[in-house]
Amino acid sequence: MALLVIAACQLMVVLDITIVNIALPHIQRSLDFSTTSLSWVVNAYTLTFGGLLLLGGRAGDILGRRRVFVFGVLLFVFASLLGGLAQNAGQLLAARALQGMGGAIASPTSLALISTTFREGPERNRAFGVFAAVSAGGGAIGLLAGGVLVEWLNWRWVLFVNIPIGILIALATPRWIKESERHPGRFDITGALLSTVGMVLLVYGFIRAAQDGWRDALTLVSFGAAVVALTAFVLVERRSRQPITPLHMFADRNRAGTYGIMLCLAAAMFGMFFFLTLFVQNVLDFSPLQAGLAFLPVSAVIAIGAGLTSRFLPVYGPKPFMVVGGILAAVGLAWLTLTDVHSTYAGSVLGPMLVFSLGMGMEFVSLTLMALSNVPVRETGAASGLLNATQQVGGSLGLSILVTMFGTANSNEAEKQIPRFLRQATPVERERFQRTGELPPPWSDEVLTAGVSAAFIMAAVFAVLAALIAVVAIQVRPSDLQRLQGGAGPGPG
């Protein structure tokens, strides 16, 4: 029951990243977002989530993980209510940022609770397998749930649905989860603010570049300010007695490699869900429910990959699964670059999605176990927070880079399609184009598809980089295999 409560919270938090994706076209029309600014509906959540995860993990270590876990869940519920009631773009983005704060408090404590609730060995391996499957598969489940809610109700319910789930989790937690031991310490507020501000500025710079070009003054200022903030963050962490990001975590070769792999894979995964959702609804003309069902196989294959990996990982170690998983993800994404306006779901989308999903299922179990291997109990919150942070920050940063690629290819293709449209357009269509600046189908489909294909090329590069990091950086020692098999092995220092 403890695992069920923890997994339910992680599902709610991860699901919320993609459940909104399926509603993006409806949100865009309802609240007047542009296609490039639409990514902020995702990034407002993931940036605050990623930027504050380390502070959330630290809060659990100091104040007690169960208490912090419940507070994070309730804050998430409150923010979901505000987001569902939003009447304009600014209100929705503010609510999404507050949701990210709630998720940042709840998520790292949930992973740390697994480390302190389940014994090291097969029992904890299975628990991590469930947690990893939920973390990776929750995205696809979110797309299905979002499709059902948008189709039968409206886009606001993709936020309202969190309210009853979160309340049930908050009520069940005191019954089934014991409070953890508190570890004295203080909060590194300065570090948390600098890391969050730095990442927001960096992501904003990429999205601004997609809209206004790389020579735009505000784009350059944003990048410069991001470098200053992130440099200051590293300096603060080096001098702090109790940093929000214990830099010694990166001294371990395997753990540093794990964070690098997660950063790259999250960038690829967020991009896959974001752009494929737009493609199937806008080019293939899927309804929200059809789009959600189209992603259902992703969850099943991720669960299969995670289950097989958790079973054989004690025998072979995590490295083979990290390498093969990265290669499979890259193959799936490279395959998706071949999509065009004549593509079909069965012929061009399903196959690469399944290959990508199998790779991700293998990766998430391996990465979760490696990141928390050999970590002292007092630092499990920080270690789990850092893993989650790299996932969310990698997703936000990667999505912003992919949006930049998308925007550039979009603009280039639009220059080709506009003259073709004007030669064939009726006077009414020309007048509408002059008023809105938007091409109608099939010309708009050509423009969107060109941008999506370009984004998938970059996503495949991220996956290849993840596989290369696994080959070069990860080293599995005999003592690591011994711990995975339930033996004692050297304990953490």
Side-chain angles (χ1 to χ4, degrees):
M1 288 302 299
L3 181 59
L4 179 62
V5 172
I6 293 169
C9 173
Q10 183 67 4
L11 178 62
M12 181 181 71
V13 170
V14 172
L15 178 147
D16 206 73
I17 297 170
T18 56
I19 194 173
V20 172
N21 274 16
I22 210 76
L24 287 176
H26 299 265
I27 294 173
Q28 183 176 16
R29 289 191 291 269
S30 177
L31 301 182
D32 296 324
F33 281 93
S34 68
T35 302
T36 48
S37 66
L38 192 63
S39 62
W40 277 107
V41 178
V42 177
N43 284 333
Y45 177 81
T46 55
L47 278 173
T48 51
F49 191 5
L52 299 176
L53 268 167
L54 299 172
L55 189 62
R58 184 70 176 151
D61 291 340
I62 296 173
L63 302 176
R65 294 182 183 123
R66 188 180 73 178
R67 177 183 290 104
V68 171
F69 178 78
V70 172
F71 175 77
V73 168
L74 292 177
L75 179 60
F76 191 89
V77 166
F78 176 66
S80 298
L81 175 63
L82 295 181
L85 297 174
Q87 299 301 308
N88 56 55
Q91 291 176 5
L92 178 61
L93 295 181
R96 291 287 287 164
L98 190 62
Q99 269 189 305
M101 292 176 62
I105 294 171
S107 186
T109 49
S110 66
L111 185 55
L113 283 169
I114 288 182
S115 296
T116 55
T117 303
F118 298 93
R119 292 191 302 273
E120 192 167 36
E123 182 179 300
R124 190 183 294 180
N125 293 348
R126 286 193 294 270
F128 276 140
V130 172
F131 189 89
V134 167
S135 297
I141 295 171
L143 292 170
L144 175 60
V148 171
L149 293 170
V150 173
E151 183 88 5
W152 293 350
L153 298 169
N154 61 51
W155 67 265
R156 297 181 184 277
W157 281 91
V158 302
L159 297 166
F160 287 148
V161 72
N162 294 320
I163 298 172
I165 298 173
I167 290 174
L168 286 174
I169 292 171
L171 292 175
T173 298
R175 178 177 175 84
W176 298 107
I177 297 178
K178 296 180 181 179
E179 182 59 277
S180 65
E181 180 184 354
R182 298 189 193 184
H183 301 279
R186 65 182 185 85
F187 296 105
D188 181 14
I189 303 296
T190 304
L193 290 176
L194 284 172
S195 64
T196 304
V197 169
M199 288 309 305
V200 169
L201 288 168
L202 189 60
V203 169
Y204 177 75
F206 279 110
I207 294 176
R208 178 85 184 184
Q211 293 175 315
D212 300 290
W214 291 93
R215 296 181 180 179
D216 174 69
L218 199 52
T219 300
L220 298 175
V221 168
S222 179
F223 281 129
V227 170
V228 171
L230 294 174
T231 302
F233 166 70
V234 172
L235 294 175
V236 167
E237 297 307 280
R238 290 182 64 181
R239 296 174 181 174
S240 176
R241 291 183 179 179
Q242 294 180 337
I244 192 173
T245 307
L247 296 181
H248 68 265
M249 291 277 186
F250 294 96
D252 184 281
R253 175 175 178 161
N254 285 342
R255 196 169 298 119
T258 296
Y259 294 145
I261 294 168
M262 178 63 86
L263 199 73
C264 296
L265 289 176
M269 185 174 69
F270 277 49
M272 193 275 284
F273 281 129
F274 183 84
F275 290 107
L276 212 50
T277 302
L278 293 179
F279 179 80
V280 298
Q281 290 192 76
N282 293 336
V283 178
L284 300 184
D285 291 324
F286 279 24
S287 69
L289 179 57
Q290 288 175 317
L293 290 170
F295 286 97
L296 189 58
V298 172
S299 296
V301 176
I302 284 176
I304 292 170
L308 291 173
T309 302
S310 60
R311 179 178 178 182
F312 293 106
L313 195 142
V315 179
Y316 301 105
K319 182 170 182 174
F321 298 100
M322 290 180 174
V323 175
V324 174
I327 292 172
L328 288 175
V331 169
L333 291 165
W335 192 354
L336 282 172
T337 64
L338 303 178
T339 53
D340 57 31
V341 293
H342 305 294
S343 296
T344 62
Y345 172 74
S348 304
V349 176
L350 180 60
M353 261 197 337
L354 297 181
V355 174
F356 176 84
S357 303
L358 181 61
M360 293 305 294
M362 298 169 70
E363 287 282 3
F364 270 81
V365 176
S366 308
L367 293 171
T368 304
L369 279 167
M370 184 60 77
L372 293 179
S373 175
N374 225 16
V375 175
V377 173
R378 67 181 181 276
E379 291 186 341
T380 54
S384 58
L386 195 54
L387 179 66
N388 276 309
T390 54
Q391 180 182 349
Q392 303 307 322
V393 170
S396 294
L397 183 58
L399 182 56
S400 66
I401 294 171
L402 297 180
V403 165
T404 304
M405 298 285 293
F406 170 87
T408 302
N410 221 314
S411 299
N412 294 337
E413 185 65 25
E415 292 179 2
K416 299 177 184 177
Q417 295 298 328
I418 289 174
R420 298 173 186 172
F421 162 71
L422 293 175
R423 285 197 298 267
Q424 303 177 41
T426 65
V428 174
E429 289 175 331
R430 291 187 181 188
E431 187 275 330
R432 187 183 299 118
F433 173 70
Q434 290 175 351
R435 187 177 71 253
T436 64
E438 296 181 0
L439 289 168
W443 299 277
S444 61
D445 294 344
E446 294 281 1
V447 172
L448 179 66
T449 302
V452 168
S453 295
F456 282 139
I457 292 173
M458 193 66 219
V461 171
F462 285 138
V464 169
L465 185 58
L468 290 175
I469 294 173
V471 170
V472 174
I474 302 300
Q475 291 182 336
V476 180
R477 299 172 289 264
S479 59
D480 295 327
L481 290 176
Q482 191 176 358
R483 276 194 301 274
L484 291 172
Q485 293 165 4

